[in-house]
Amino acid sequence: MARSLISLILGCGTAVITYAVSHNIVLAIVIGVGVALLAWIGHRIIDDLIEAVGDLF
């Protein structure tokens, strides 16, 4: 749940900053969703990598 919340906050924050700079709502939504997805995927991959490295040692 925390991962989803962090991803949502990062995505919304990025969308707000993008809109403030470009004043283009479509661009802001696309970038916000992209950042949220990358953050969510990144958290999943990092956990898997830590577990895999831990299994090696």
Side-chain angles (χ1 to χ4, degrees):
M1 183 68 185
R3 290 182 195 136
S4 299
L5 185 59
I6 290 170
S7 299
L8 180 64
I9 291 169
L10 286 173
C12 289
T14 305
V16 167
I17 291 169
T18 302
Y19 183 72
V21 171
S22 70
H23 300 294
N24 185 342
I25 193 69
V26 175
L27 180 64
I29 290 171
V30 168
I31 290 176
V33 168
V35 168
L37 285 173
L38 287 174
W40 183 72
I41 291 170
H43 283 292
R44 295 183 61 91
I45 291 172
I46 289 171
D47 286 343
D48 291 341
L49 285 175
I50 290 171
E51 185 177 321
V53 170
D55 289 343
L56 291 175
F57 298 104

